[in-house]
Amino acid sequence: GAVVSQHPSWVICKSGTSVKIECRSLDFQATTMFWYRQFPKQSLMLMATSNEGSKATYEQGVEKDKFLINHASLTLSTLTVTSAHPEDSSFYICSAWDRGFSYEQYFGPGTRLTVT
Amino acid sequence: AQTVTQSQPEMSVQEAETVTLSCTYDTSESDYYLFWYKQPPSRQMILVIRQEAYKQQNATENRFSVNFQKAAKSFSLKISDSQLGDAAMYFCAYCNTGNQFYFGTGTSLTVIP
């Protein structure tokens, strides 16, 4: 099946700094990528939908200025957490939609963000 | 946004036995997809089974099958002949026509040897 990678798998940063998370579709082109946030023992919450070449669509309650999403190519989307604070510590998961297979999303392995 | 409800935070099953995980959802749309995903401790989301809303026939994948009741907005997962490797968090997910996924709160499944 299709493979989606995320980098880094774990990042620790100091409060006030920014951190970038990459999501790549390795063997297919993803016109749409999604970013989720998952707190421990909780569900995945959709943060935003990222379409290649256009602005991301954010879910209600998600600060677009804090969580910057860029989908510059059909295989790469990035999530930048700006001015990170300890409450931003979470597990971030991306998924990519293979347009060749309707409604089939492939999930990355996730990135653990720890803000100290 | 659509809501997906999983009323069983934890379930357990004896190895080789059958277990059913419940899921209900709320939507006004007629065209959508439903999924069950498995998330083991590695946190990697693994697709278990999918169901197209326009199909009346329940989806089946080996030991996994669903009971899809569209009118009742119910989508339960049945795992037959449970194996130790089935132990994980299971998430029910609703996918709308915009290909946006909404997940339930999850059910933690324990398989007892």
Side-chain angles (χ1 to χ4, degrees), chain A residues 15 37 39 63 66-67 83-90 92 113 115:
Chain A
S15 185
R37 184 173 181 176
F39 290 106
E63 299 175 62
K66 180 166 191 61
F67 299 100
S83 186
H85 288 94
E87 57 265 30
D88 298 325
S89 298
S90 188
Y92 293 88
L113 171 63
V115 184

Side-chain angles (χ1 to χ4, degrees), chain B:
Chain B
Q2 283 78 6
T3 56
V4 180
T5 303
Q6 292 179 249
S7 59
Q8 308 153 315
E10 296 179 347
M11 290 283 284
S12 62
V13 61
Q14 206 76 31
E15 193 176 5
E17 296 295 310
T18 296
V19 64
T20 299
L21 308 184
S22 302
C23 173
T24 60
Y25 58 95
D26 185 26
T27 184
S28 58
E29 298 180 343
S30 59
D31 188 18
Y32 52 88
Y33 288 72
L34 297 165
F35 298 81
W36 277 98
Y37 279 89
K38 170 184 176 181
Q39 188 181 44
S42 68
R43 307 289 287 270
Q44 174 72 58
M45 297 290 283
I46 301 168
L47 175 65
V48 175
I49 199 166
R50 55 180 279 176
Q51 173 81 42
E52 293 87 345
Y54 63 84
K55 288 187 178 179
Q56 292 186 336
Q57 187 173 7
N58 290 324
T60 300
E61 282 290 339
N62 301 314
R63 298 183 295 107
F64 300 89
S65 62
V66 298
N67 184 2
F68 174 47
Q69 301 291 327
K70 190 172 184 178
K73 297 179 183 175
S74 170
F75 183 62
S76 61
L77 173 69
K78 185 171 81 171
I79 306 174
S80 304
D81 186 25
S82 297
Q83 301 175 0
L84 295 178
D86 295 334
M89 280 291 289
Y90 285 81
F91 291 100
C92 176
Y94 170 99
C95 175
N96 62 17
T97 53
N99 209 33
Q100 294 168 315
F101 273 55
Y102 297 94
F103 288 86
T105 49
T107 297
S108 177
L109 178 66
T110 300
V111 180
I112 304 167

